[in-house]
Amino acid sequence: MAGAGMAIAVLTSGGDAQGMNAAVRAVTRMGIYVGAKVFLIYEGYEGLVEGGDNIKQANWLSVSNIIQLGGTVIGSARCKAFTTRAGRLRAARNLVEHGITNLCVIGGDGSLTGADIFRSEWGGLLEELVRDGQISEEVARENCRLNIVGLVGSIDNDFCGTDMTIGTDSALHRIMEVIDAITTTAQSHQRTFVLEVMGRHCGYLALVSGLASGADWLFIPESPPEDGWEDLMCERLGETRSRGSRLNIIIIAEGAIDRSGKPISSNYVKDLVVQRLGFDTRVTVLGHVQRGGTPSAFDRVLTKDVQKAMDEKRFEEAIQLRGRSFENNWNIYKLLAHQKPAQEKSPFSLAILNVGAPAAGMNAAVRSAVRIGICQGHTVYVVSDGFEGLSKGQIREVGWHDVAGWLGRGGSMLGTKRTLPKTCMEKIVENVRKFNIQGLLVIGGFEAYEGVLQLVEARGQYEELCIIMCVIPATISNNVPGTDFSLGSDTAVNAAMESCDRIKQSASGTKRRVFIVETMGGYCGYLSTVTGIAVGADAAYVYEDPFTIHDLKANVEHLTDKMKTDIQRGLVLRNEKCHEHYTTEFLYNLYSSEGKGIFDCRINVLGHLQQGGAPTPFDRNYGTKLGVKAVLWMSEKLQEVYRKGRVFANSGDSACVIGLRKKVVAFSPVTELKKVTDFEHRLPQEQWWLNLRLMLKMLANYQISLTEYISGKMEHVTRRTLSIEKGF
């Protein structure tokens, strides 16, 4: 009861962003969970100023079944009155009447700026209310401090102090859906598409969607094109067509400008392509399909400085002020969009292969690795069918254009198998010698990591294996040691989440039904847990969090109680290997029997649906970045161990897993990771996401001690912390 005696109010304000409802639900339920009174303020600041029925106390069921909805169920309105002191005085009066001194504001620039002004004036507003006789001095004393927490809802991702704003990822999903749909049309008809995305002052969405789609040309306000760009762009587009490409994609942020600050419109670009090249060219303006707010003025350190730099035409600095992640995206886009001749031919040969089950994003990683390898002057080979293909000599040299169009493709274009090297070691060594391979990039799941470990352990026997090796973890199970996120796990969670949303929806007309949904993941419960949080599941059974028949009984009783309220649907997730005996069928029988007369049950096994489909924007970009960073690291290592015309690498750090740990891309030697791996269950011994399971249980209304809960830490945002390179 850490929150007993407290009152918290939640409001959404400004432009809506997808994910706001999930935030409203979580704040409301967590507030009730800790014993606080929670109020929902309808229609944003307007409701706060008007008061009355716009401020209502919430209960647990007030936010039921909203997690999957777009927009905001409590409404959002622009409010002139709140921009005046008189309006804020009325708002203060309404909060004090309900004893509310904790305000959670979910919104963009204006919303959070307004909240900060309100907080700074709070003492003065209460004094004025006392003077006017509207409240007593005692009431003013009891409510003397206003605490505000801002959750940033904006699709531009342009706030300092958060790596990702609520709504950004969904906006990128919408944009990529449009680009994928356009791509098929454009290829059928040999068209050029000019796609205008939101971003009046911030090019984030244009940049990330350009990176995720491999666009031919990109306009962002922070980096206007050089003078004479019209000639260069048309030359580039003509070049790609003459090489057999059937489509061109040009992405333009709505705020795009040239070097003199003059706007560049999507129609101007279209007319240019038609007049100069005669290509069939169409414009698509995405507009509110993406739904997002304008850039942030709340941000004291960053955004105003960016705008000032842009106004003063200091464009290089504008890019840097956006933060390292933005700058990194921009540099990688420029590197991979068009082939530049290598400075000199390098003496090194790299081979790239996929191992294990297919995972979305594998092809993005192969594409960027191939292109960056070619930029570095290396000879680049690709291998079909994993280690088995390496043993059979299914190896071919690739060029820049061989991987065009791979970015958005699901599965594995190279083909992938689970075979481990120990079954064909002699033949692998023979082909490494024959093709003179000095660097091996293995993109795949647990087998990729285990396979490279086997190659490293065979170095004593075969000198040919004393080469540089790197593993890019790519698996929907997210079970490779050395990284918090594996490539493909984001796509898998989204696929599972969409299926669960549909499953829940299918029961909307029926009375009282519980769905038992089985997810993949081997012994790793990541997919079940994160999907469970995203869909508001009642339980998620995983191997890492052992459960007994008593726990199952408690879950059934919990659902039975829930069904006696207005909520008439339950969702239980079960990881495929969470328990040897408590199978999906067993759970179905148990729930059916115990819930007889109260609810009925259905089983859904999601199966390979979680592996398929086009990669999410996150996986496209994550794969692209890991491919680039892996090859740059390998190039550096190859230089270090190159002596007298040959490569000899046998130290531990010459074979690593590249991964994202917290926010930083890190390289971990496979020999070190071996010590922290459970090989029997194919899992890292420690997994960060297990901390999220308590939150899942709390939001499903289980009584759990808060002492075990790990809450967030306060961090002060400075220029220095902003310059730390982020993973995404």
Side-chain angles (χ1 to χ4, degrees), residues 209-217 249 333 337 367 407:
S209 47
L211 193 58
S213 62
D216 295 280
W217 197 272
I249 290 180
Y333 170 75
R367 169 187 174 267
L407 236 178

Side-chain angles (χ1 to χ4, degrees), residues 39-207:
F39 292 87
L40 298 176
I41 298 175
Y42 290 82
E43 307 308 333
Y45 284 123
E46 194 174 283
L48 186 59
V49 173
E50 294 299 325
D53 279 350
N54 290 309
I55 302 176
K56 290 182 184 155
Q57 191 171 343
N59 60 34
W60 195 265
L61 302 182
S62 306
V63 289
S64 175
N65 209 26
I66 67 167
I67 195 168
Q68 74 280 15
L69 302 177
T72 161
V73 294
I74 56 175
S76 171
R78 308 270 176 204
C79 179
K80 275 248 171 72
F82 194 74
T83 60
T84 67
R85 187 171 168 98
R88 293 192 290 274
L89 191 68
R90 286 171 65 193
R93 167 84 203 262
N94 290 328
L95 287 183
V96 168
E97 265 182 16
H98 292 89
I100 298 166
T101 53
N102 301 282
L103 191 59
C104 175
V105 178
I106 305 167
D109 54 346
S111 313
L112 299 187
T113 306
D116 202 37
I117 292 167
F118 192 40
R119 181 195 56 78
S120 65
E121 290 180 353
W122 183 254
L125 293 170
L126 293 196
E127 281 171 22
E128 204 171 316
L129 289 171
V130 171
R131 263 202 318 276
D132 294 351
Q134 295 193 48
I135 61 170
S136 68
E137 283 192 14
E138 191 186 340
V139 168
R141 263 198 311 278
E142 284 167 6
N143 296 277
C144 64
R145 185 184 167 89
L146 178 67
N147 299 308
I148 293 186
V149 173
L151 274 71
V152 191
S154 154
I155 65 169
D156 273 337
N157 203 29
D158 56 350
F159 275 67
C160 85
T162 177
D163 299 338
M164 205 59 159
T165 59
I166 296 167
T168 303
D169 195 48
S170 300
L172 288 171
H173 275 253
R174 296 300 85 75
I175 294 170
M176 291 317 302
E177 282 162 14
V178 171
I179 291 175
D180 287 349
I182 281 173
T183 304
T184 49
T185 306
Q187 277 183 327
S188 311
H189 300 281
Q190 280 202 311
R191 277 190 184 141
T192 296
F193 268 94
V194 180
L195 191 73
E196 185 182 303
V197 301
M198 276 183 160
R200 222 167 305 164
H201 308 284
C202 177
Y204 178 85
L205 286 177
L207 173 54

Side-chain angles (χ1 to χ4, degrees), residues 409-424:
R409 304 284 286 271
S412 162
M413 301 286 284
L414 292 181
T416 178
K417 288 203 169 165
R418 293 177 185 270
T419 315
L420 286 169
K422 64 180 181 193
T423 60
C424 48

Side-chain angles (χ1 to χ4, degrees), residues 186-421:
Q187 277 183 327
S188 311
H189 300 281
Q190 280 202 311
R191 277 190 184 141
T192 296
F193 268 94
V194 180
L195 191 73
E196 185 182 303
V197 301
M198 276 183 160
R200 222 167 305 164
H201 308 284
C202 177
Y204 178 85
L205 286 177
L207 173 54
V208 179
S209 47
L211 193 58
S213 62
D216 295 280
W217 197 272
L218 181 59
F219 294 93
I220 57 172
E222 292 86 348
S223 184
E226 298 295 337
D227 293 339
W229 61 267
E230 291 95 339
D231 300 338
L232 186 58
M233 184 186 80
C234 292
E235 193 185 309
R236 286 256 175 96
L237 297 178
E239 234 175 72
T240 55
R241 278 293 169 96
S242 64
R243 276 197 301 262
S245 167
R246 292 181 62 84
L247 90 146
N248 301 106
I249 290 180
I250 298 165
I251 293 180
I252 180 165
E254 61 179 334
I257 49 172
D258 64 16
R259 288 266 150 186
S260 58
K262 199 172 119 243
I264 298 174
S265 74
S266 42
N267 282 320
Y268 175 71
V269 175
K270 174 203 158 183
D271 294 344
L272 194 70
V273 176
V274 172
Q275 285 157 16
R276 299 233 188 143
L277 297 166
F279 292 171
D280 180 1
T281 306
R282 305 293 163 94
V283 171
T284 301
V285 179
L286 278 183
H288 282 70
V289 169
Q290 310 145 81
R291 184 49 256 149
T294 47
S296 141
F298 171 69
D299 156 14
R300 297 299 148 83
V301 184
L302 203 62
T303 309
K304 287 177 184 167
D305 285 358
V306 177
Q307 198 52 53
K308 193 162 178 278
M310 282 159 65
D311 292 344
E312 292 170 11
K313 305 194 173 35
R314 291 178 286 116
F315 296 113
E316 287 299 312
E317 198 181 329
I319 289 273
Q320 287 162 6
L321 285 166
R322 278 271 182 241
R324 285 288 290 277
S325 185
F326 190 95
E327 189 181 358
N328 194 13
N329 280 330
W330 181 231
N331 291 335
I332 289 177
Y333 170 75
K334 288 189 292 187
L335 205 58
L336 298 177
H338 299 281
Q339 185 171 5
K340 295 151 203 76
Q343 300 296 312
E344 54 184 79
K345 186 81 183 106
S346 97
F348 306 123
S349 303
L350 305 181
I352 302 170
L353 59 153
N354 292 160
V355 173
M362 275 182 164
N363 300 320
V366 172
R367 169 187 174 267
S368 69
V370 164
R371 289 191 167 181
I372 206 82
I374 291 168
C375 282
Q376 301 267 308
H378 307 322
T379 301
V380 183
Y381 296 109
V382 290
V383 182
S384 303
D385 298 339
F387 290 121
E388 193 176 303
L390 188 57
S391 72
K392 291 179 177 171
Q394 293 168 284
I395 300 165
R396 65 181 192 278
E397 191 177 341
V398 277
W400 184 276
H401 303 291
D402 296 332
V403 289
W406 283 30
L407 236 178
R409 304 284 286 271
S412 162
M413 301 286 284
L414 292 181
T416 178
K417 288 203 169 165
R418 293 177 185 270
T419 315
L420 286 169

